[in-house]
Amino acid sequence: MTAIPSFTGDANPYGGGDPYADYRTADFPFTQYANLADRQLGAGVIAANDEFFAQRENLLVPERAEFDPEHFGHKGKIMDGWETRRRRGVSARHPWPAAEDHDWALVRLGAPGVIRGIVVDTAHFRGNYPQAVSVEGTSVPGSPSPEELLGDDVKWTTLVPRTPVGGHAANGFAVSAEQRFTHLRINQHPDGGIARLRVYGEVVPDPQWLAVLGTFDVVALENGGQVEDASNLFYSPATNTIQPGRSRKMDDGWETRRRRDQGNDWIRYRLAAQSQIRALEIDTAYLKGNSAGWASVSVKDGEDGEWTEILPRTRLQPDTNHRFVLPEPAVGTHARIDIFPDGGISRLRLFGSLTEQGASGLAARHQELGG
């Protein structure tokens, strides 16, 4: 069911000025998790039955939807989202769509995982949003084609049942299915437009793939790492520090507000599983006048373990990737980076491999979730 049922229903027509002035949203508890439908992770909208007015790829654009009231094309109003044509009935006597009529899009998650919540954002769709939406998920190994995903042998699990949504609003849905999913099918009933889709959850990697890799980044989001908490998220999310690739601009990292006390900022991570860490990187790419001055890194083994410093407080340079080889391997399930006194880093990489205990635990969870 929808997490914000009061947001169902009509939105007022656009009356000029700030188009977001009457936009309806809420603080959803599941947004603490990573967006598994992030293009940076490799997500994509691989098919849709209709995209007459606006293309399906807009669903996963990371920025919020934009609205230009004067922007029209040869097909009509150009919207920043996925918008289908108006459905019609079978005859003049029955001009209305049938109850089962709907449009759909197939989404490949950037990283397979357990989904904790979904946001179907109808920003700027005021009189042309769907009456209701539903979302299904499936887990298919490899790189299936749209035709294979739509085959009769693929089992789909309902994550969001057919539920009314509101126009020009962030419609949030909590998901309780304890399964690992690779693909989603989002349905809009009977037609209309959706601006953005966000899929929040926990990455569950393939243990066989990690075993073949041997040494890999054990805190990386795509390998199952996760941000558990951070001291400050004023300018950007801490999850940016474990995204794939190098930062491409300043807001692609983690930056805190300026401190006016004697404290320091930090991020705490959960690793893919118990790991043996042998080297690490701290990157301050694109952070020039605002990079952290110093940093230290610690690990602990288990929720109740003691924190052990593996990199003492070390001077950082702006816009620089810093590499450190540890004098001896460090075993842990969690990691923490402290920056002094404030500022930011763009990426943290912890290179190592799973311990025997970590590998067996990850394999058991993967199997339990139907991976």
Side-chain angles (χ1 to χ4, degrees):
M1 58 183 295
T2 179
I4 46 169
S6 61
F7 284 179
T8 58
D10 292 336
N12 292 324
Y14 175 62
D18 179 8
Y20 274 103
D22 59 340
Y23 176 70
R24 296 168 292 175
T25 187
D27 291 327
F28 303 118
F30 47 74
T31 56
Q32 63 179 296
Y33 296 100
N35 177 20
L36 304 183
D38 192 336
R39 283 286 301 170
Q40 198 169 351
L41 274 177
V45 186
I46 61 175
N49 72 306
D50 187 284
E51 47 185 333
F52 185 86
F53 286 114
Q55 60 267 35
R56 63 184 191 256
E57 286 83 3
N58 287 335
L59 282 172
L60 304 188
V61 171
E63 295 79 20
R64 73 177 188 173
E66 298 298 327
F67 180 71
D68 182 351
E70 306 298 327
H71 197 191
F72 287 83
H74 66 280
K75 291 184 178 180
K77 180 72 183 72
I78 295 176
M79 297 293 291
D80 185 7
W82 168 50
E83 185 181 5
T84 66
R85 71 192 78 199
R86 299 189 189 215
R87 282 183 170 270
R88 297 294 185 240
V90 296
S91 68
R93 285 184 174 273
H94 298 280
W96 310 280
E100 67 273 12
D101 287 347
H102 67 279
D103 293 319
W104 53 265
L106 294 177
V107 177
R108 179 190 64 244
L109 297 180
V114 178
I115 298 170
R116 301 302 183 191
I118 295 173
V119 173
V120 178
D121 191 344
T122 58
H124 314 306
F125 288 94
R126 296 170 179 268
N128 51 348
Y129 60 93
Q131 181 184 29
V133 300
S134 61
V135 183
E136 302 160 280
T138 190
S139 182
V140 179
S143 303
S145 67
E147 292 75 21
E148 289 171 322
L149 288 170
L150 296 172
D152 294 336
D153 58 333
V154 174
K155 177 185 176 183
W156 291 88
T157 299
T158 298
L159 305 180
V160 179
R162 182 170 176 168
T163 308
V165 292
H168 195 45
N171 299 274
F173 305 89
V175 176
S176 57
E178 284 293 322
Q179 298 179 49
R180 179 181 184 266
F181 295 102
T182 61
H183 295 78
L184 298 186
R185 180 164 60 191
I186 179 167
N187 307 301
Q188 47 178 337
H189 307 268
D191 54 38
I194 298 170
R196 297 289 187 267
L197 175 70
R198 306 292 186 236
V199 182
Y200 297 98
E202 302 173 65
V203 176
V204 181
D206 181 348
Q208 290 186 331
W209 175 252
L210 297 184
V212 170
L213 291 180
T215 296
F216 60 92
D217 182 1
V218 298
V219 77
L221 180 60
E222 61 187 327
N223 294 331
Q226 181 179 325
V227 169
E228 288 194 326
D229 200 5
S231 60
N232 188 274
L233 304 173
F234 189 84
Y235 286 112
S236 46
T239 302
N240 282 353
T241 61
I242 54 175
Q243 287 277 11
R246 295 201 71 197
S247 176
R248 296 167 295 176
K249 49 193 174 75
M250 190 175 75
D251 67 349
D252 194 15
W254 172 61
E255 181 189 0
T256 71
R257 66 188 306 162
R258 300 187 189 211
R259 277 190 171 268
R260 304 306 187 198
D261 59 21
Q262 300 301 304
N264 73 283
D265 289 315
W266 50 267
I267 306 174
R268 188 177 74 243
Y269 306 89
R270 187 183 71 197
L271 307 184
Q274 188 189 63
S275 305
Q276 189 179 67
I277 303 166
R278 294 185 287 274
L280 61 91
E281 289 184 358
I282 302 173
D283 197 350
T284 58
Y286 291 97
L287 295 160
K288 299 182 179 181
N290 53 351
S291 67
W294 293 261
S296 65
V297 177
S298 303
V299 300
K300 71 173 182 176
D301 191 23
E303 294 288 348
D304 300 323
E306 295 290 330
W307 289 104
T308 301
E309 192 173 68
I310 61 173
L311 179 72
R313 192 178 305 189
T314 302
R315 188 76 168 95
L316 300 181
Q317 299 300 319
D319 195 28
T320 301
N321 191 25
H322 309 76
R323 291 179 170 174
F324 307 93
V325 176
L326 300 184
E328 59 183 31
V331 174
T333 57
H334 296 73
R336 171 178 168 132
I337 184 167
D338 286 84
I339 63 171
F340 303 88
D342 56 23
I345 63 170
S346 61
R347 297 290 188 270
L348 173 69
R349 306 296 189 205
L350 302 178
F351 296 105
S353 54
L354 299 184
T355 64
E356 185 176 341
Q357 177 183 328
S360 61
L362 183 61
R365 183 166 187 252
H366 185 266
Q367 183 176 18
E368 178 185 335
L369 295 170

